[in-house]
Amino acid sequence: MSLYLSRLQLNPRDRQAANDLRSAYSLHQTLRWAFPNAGAVPGPFPEGERLLWRDDGPQGILVQSVTRPDWAAITGRHPDYFQAEPHAKPVDLSGLQNGQQLAFRLRANVTVNRFRDGQDKQADPRTKREALRGAKEQVEWLERQGERGGFSVIGTDIAQSGNVRLYKAWGGTPMTLFAVTFEGLLRVEDPVRLPQTVQCGIGKAKALGFGLLSLARG
């Protein structure tokens, strides 16, 4: 399986870029212009596409896609959007081996669905999404993701953990999501399933900068 990774450095002096740096909603819509079916108004992604991205702060924004992005489509609309010309780097995940160890980084919306205390589950089957704020719970959540996703966690540090306020480009009440950034080492348990997990992402809120599992050999 081949994917494309791009590292973007947005120019905060450009009006659109500055807006996108403040709003995950707006950034996702701008990134959409670099892919097929954008047209005058972006339509649905090509079949099989899953656009994932993560804001790594001073390191810029990491974007992963199945389709090679056309970043010139964005500069055609906003010439000063990027500080440096971005390039898409192909990454081949077909050569992973069972037992192989890889460094990883993941920013995820770490939540679970739970019934409320005293709730009649038969009368009201709805659940409430709750953030996992304890470090032990967060690591256990990641381990469960690995069991389903073809990897096991050898060791991890929690680089960041806390609420993130996401502002809409058009104003209004911001959304608050719980974010955890994991960094560590994993072991490949299923060389077929793990690339699928990387392509699809992990957890909720993928369109808002969560779920990108980036891997590095070494």
Side-chain angles (χ1 to χ4, degrees):
M1 176 186 294
S2 293
L3 298 171
Y4 292 93
L5 288 176
S6 304
R7 180 71 69 176
L8 311 181
Q9 292 286 350
L10 274 58
N11 178 12
R13 296 183 180 181
D14 177 81
R15 181 177 179 181
Q16 184 63 46
N19 186 64
D20 292 351
L21 288 170
R22 291 191 299 268
S23 170
Y25 295 90
S26 180
L27 175 58
H28 185 80
Q29 290 302 311
T30 299
L31 296 177
R32 179 66 188 83
W33 291 105
F35 296 88
N37 299 338
V41 177
F45 279 108
E47 184 177 356
E49 181 59 81
R50 165 64 79 175
L51 176 64
L52 298 173
W53 60 273
R54 183 179 68 235
D55 188 347
D56 283 334
Q59 299 179 49
I61 295 169
L62 182 65
V63 180
Q64 176 185 287
S65 60
V66 177
T67 308
R68 181 186 288 273
D70 177 16
W71 298 121
I74 294 180
T75 54
R77 300 172 61 84
H78 309 288
D80 299 322
Y81 188 81
F82 298 114
Q83 288 185 326
E85 182 181 359
H87 297 280
K89 174 184 176 182
V91 178
D92 186 5
L93 297 179
S94 62
L96 295 180
Q97 300 293 322
N98 189 44
Q100 184 177 5
Q101 296 184 11
L102 301 169
F104 76 90
R105 181 178 175 87
L106 169 68
R107 183 176 187 247
N109 178 222
V110 181
T111 60
V112 294
N113 292 328
R114 287 174 174 164
F115 291 104
R116 293 177 293 275
D117 291 340
Q119 179 179 350
D120 186 338
K121 300 176 184 178
Q122 292 184 340
D124 182 6
R126 294 175 299 174
T127 57
K128 179 182 179 182
R129 188 177 299 175
E130 294 184 358
L132 299 178
R133 299 186 180 276
K136 182 174 181 294
E137 285 184 310
Q138 292 166 2
V139 173
E140 290 173 345
W141 178 90
L142 180 60
E143 291 173 341
R144 291 194 296 273
Q145 303 302 313
E147 291 174 0
R148 294 191 291 267
F151 67 91
S152 59
V153 180
I154 297 176
T156 183
D157 292 324
I158 296 175
Q160 294 178 326
S161 176
N163 289 336
V164 175
R165 293 170 69 85
L166 301 178
Y167 295 89
K168 298 180 180 179
W170 53 88
T173 303
M175 176 187 293
T176 300
L177 294 179
F178 186 70
V180 179
T181 301
F182 300 96
E183 297 176 342
L185 195 66
L186 61 77
R187 178 184 294 107
V188 179
E189 302 294 350
D190 188 329
V192 175
R193 203 184 329 159
L194 178 54
Q196 296 171 350
T197 300
V198 174
Q199 177 181 333
C200 295
I202 293 177
K204 305 292 185 181
K206 297 183 182 72
L208 300 177
F210 295 86
L212 171 55
L213 175 65
S214 50
L215 304 177
R217 293 177 169 87

